[in-house]
Amino acid sequence: MTEDSQRNFRSVYYEKVGFRGVEEKKSLEILLKDDRLDIEKLCTFSQRFPLPSMYRALVWKVLLGILPLHHESHAQVMMYRKGQYSDVLHALKVVRFVNDATPQVEVFLRMYQLESGKLPRSPSFPLKPEDEVFLAIAKAMEEMVEDSVDCYWIIRCFVNQLNSKYRDSLPQLAYFFWSNEPPSPQDAVASRLTDNI
């Protein structure tokens, strides 16, 4: 009883001094300690509370199906994901679609195009509207996820989810992923193109 009242006092105190999410972080840690992660509970938590940055990539990888539900398989699966990432990146370098100077978001786009069978014949071909949407998502995700392998897999699975479930909303997505700065003329042209899909 006293522990409950102390915890409530602590929660209220932390919120008043600006430290929100202390209890939510503990709740998320408890969810992530389960031997078999519960997708329903993780979805509910993600919808109700902001994800702490230290757990964001892990939760996204589980929710998007990049990682399995059992902890003991995570390292093995990520080893395979890294291997696949390296193989696709190497293939793109061999065919000279990307090099060390290529921006990371464009590398992600070319990898996605190669894996989905939509790689153009030449890197100089103009981008399609769906490629512009992919780049907008990749730019936003790159700011949140540090590891390039994790970032690529999250973008790839996120875009696949969008394409399978929310295809009608894709033209408006480029607007939502821009930061607070106004779009460049290139982005403005891309948004007009996506409006015409």
Side-chain angles (χ1 to χ4, degrees):
M1 178 97 160
T2 60
E3 189 177 322
D4 253 359
S5 62
Q6 284 180 342
R7 185 179 2 225
N8 290 337
F9 169 76
R10 261 189 261 135
S11 297
V12 170
Y13 175 75
Y14 283 141
E15 285 184 18
K16 286 192 188 251
V17 295
F19 292 105
R20 299 192 64 205
V22 173
E23 292 297 320
E24 288 87 4
K25 183 179 174 187
K26 288 181 183 176
S27 299
L28 180 60
E29 287 172 350
I30 291 169
L31 286 175
L32 292 174
K33 284 182 183 175
D34 290 342
D35 181 42
R36 186 177 190 282
L37 298 173
D38 189 335
I39 292 286
E40 293 293 322
K41 288 180 182 177
L42 283 174
C43 284
T44 303
F45 182 91
S46 299
Q47 291 170 354
R48 295 182 69 205
F49 307 108
L51 289 171
S53 59
M54 63 191 301
Y55 297 117
R56 187 177 297 142
L58 172 63
V59 172
W60 284 351
K61 288 190 291 186
V62 170
L63 292 179
L64 290 169
I66 299 164
L67 288 176
L69 301 179
H70 294 283
H71 287 287
E72 68 247 9
S73 305
H74 286 190
Q76 183 81 19
V77 170
M78 279 314 295
M79 186 179 73
Y80 292 136
R81 301 280 189 205
K82 286 178 184 177
Q84 185 177 347
Y85 177 91
S86 297
D87 291 345
V88 173
L89 182 59
H90 178 71
L92 286 171
K93 286 181 178 180
V94 167
V95 295
R96 295 190 178 107
F97 253 81
V98 299
N99 57 42
D100 293 335
T102 307
Q104 191 64 45
V105 292
E106 189 176 327
V107 171
F108 292 153
L109 172 65
R110 298 305 185 188
M111 291 176 72
Y112 181 75
Q113 288 174 329
L114 180 62
E115 286 193 300
S116 59
K118 297 177 182 177
L119 189 68
R121 292 184 181 171
S122 166
S124 61
F125 278 22
L127 295 176
K128 296 179 180 177
E130 63 261 16
D131 298 337
E132 295 289 345
V133 169
F134 184 97
L135 287 173
I137 293 169
K139 284 178 191 175
M141 200 63 70
E142 188 180 36
E143 293 175 10
M144 293 183 273
V145 180
E146 292 178 13
D147 183 54
S148 58
V149 175
D150 286 349
C151 191
Y152 171 69
W153 280 101
I154 291 170
I155 295 165
R156 179 182 187 266
C157 292
F158 184 76
V159 168
N160 286 341
Q161 285 285 330
L162 288 174
N163 287 334
S164 66
K165 294 184 178 180
Y166 304 104
R167 189 144 215 26
D168 299 337
S169 303
L170 286 180
Q172 292 83 23
L173 274 181
Y175 292 118
F176 297 124
F177 284 99
W178 280 325
S179 61
N180 292 335
E181 50 193 64
S184 67
Q186 176 183 6
D187 291 334
V189 169
S191 69
R192 281 190 223 111
L193 288 173
T194 58
D195 286 341
N196 295 328
I197 293 180

